[in-house]
């Protein structure tokens, strides 16, 4: 039994008297769900036809695999060339777009002929990951007008043994 003290007197509160409180609490938590973290599920594969920056790393054009790092609390992603010769880690934060892309895609900011990976979206999901602007991107953005380039990405297929 639960006891409650009111003005020096002891009052017994029975468990069934708390039932309405617990029902209201469960309903409130169900109606107000927590915001889901944006996450790329599995690996994305993309053919990027231009040299670009991912965070502070300069990467050549080519085929790349992008994935969320395990145990990073959805804050660090890795991009690596399909042949494994080049890779970079970069920090991300949650972002949202008004309309979900129908397929997974990488979005690049373009200043002149310089590209910066800026956002990653999984298909049919308005929640994605955004890279903070590097110091170099901030400098380049002051010297040139911005455009965007969208590059489609596909889920990497898993090969069974």
């Amino acid at each position: 039994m639960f006891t409650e003290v009111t003005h020096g007197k002891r009052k017994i509160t029975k468990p069934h008297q708390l039932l309405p409180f617990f029902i209201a609490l469960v309903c409130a938590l169900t109606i107000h769900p927590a915001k889901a973290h944006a996450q790329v599920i599995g690996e994305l594969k993309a053919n990027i036809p231009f040299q670009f920056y991912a965070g502070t790393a300069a990467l050549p054009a080519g085929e790349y695999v992008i994935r969320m790092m395990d145990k990073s609390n959805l804050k660090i992603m890795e991009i690596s060339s399909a042949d494994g010769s080049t890779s970079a880690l970069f920090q991300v934060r949650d972002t949202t777009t008004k309309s979900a892309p129908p397929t997974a895609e990488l979005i690049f900011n373009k200043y002149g002929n310089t590209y910066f990976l800026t956002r990653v979206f999984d298909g049919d999901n308005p929640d994605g990951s955004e890279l903070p602007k590097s110091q170099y991107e901030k400098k380049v953005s002051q010297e040139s007008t911005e455009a965007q380039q969208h590059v489609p990405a596909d889920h990497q297929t898993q090969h069974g043994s």
Side-chain angles (χ1 to χ4, degrees):
M1 298 211 162
F2 302 95
T3 51
E4 181 180 298
V5 178
T6 55
H7 302 291
K9 298 179 185 177
R10 292 176 67 144
K11 178 181 174 186
I12 305 295
T13 303
K14 296 180 181 170
H16 72 276
Q17 291 173 320
L18 295 175
L19 186 61
F21 170 75
F22 288 118
I23 291 172
L25 180 63
V26 169
C27 288
L29 293 174
T30 306
I31 292 170
H32 184 65
K35 183 181 184 285
H37 287 285
Q39 181 178 8
V40 173
I41 306 299
E43 297 180 339
L44 298 179
K45 185 177 181 182
N47 185 12
I48 303 171
F50 42 79
Q51 180 181 348
F52 65 99
Y53 287 86
T56 58
L59 301 166
E63 293 249 341
Y64 285 91
V65 176
I66 301 97
R67 67 182 183 92
M68 191 66 66
M69 292 298 295
D70 293 336
K71 300 180 183 177
S72 73
N73 199 24
L74 306 177
K75 300 296 179 198
I76 299 177
M77 295 186 88
E78 178 185 38
I79 186 165
S80 57
S81 58
D83 65 4
S85 64
T86 306
S87 69
L89 298 177
F90 53 90
Q91 187 176 10
V92 294
R93 59 183 172 231
D94 295 343
T95 191
T96 303
T97 186
K98 290 180 182 176
S99 61
T103 61
E105 70 178 4
L106 309 179
I107 301 173
F108 294 84
N109 285 339
K110 179 183 178 193
Y111 308 97
N113 290 326
T114 307
Y115 295 84
F116 295 88
L117 179 59
T118 186
R119 286 182 273 163
V120 179
F121 287 98
D122 216 341
D124 289 327
N125 189 350
D127 297 323
S129 297
E130 179 178 51
L131 287 75
K133 284 187 176 183
S134 67
Q135 291 298 322
Y136 182 57
E137 182 176 1
K138 289 176 185 176
K139 179 182 175 194
V140 171
S141 70
Q142 293 173 348
E143 300 169 358
S144 183
T145 58
E146 178 182 352
Q148 284 195 338
Q149 180 74 35
H150 294 243
V151 174
D154 297 311
H155 277 279
Q156 180 74 19
T157 56
Q158 302 289 329
H159 297 291
S161 43

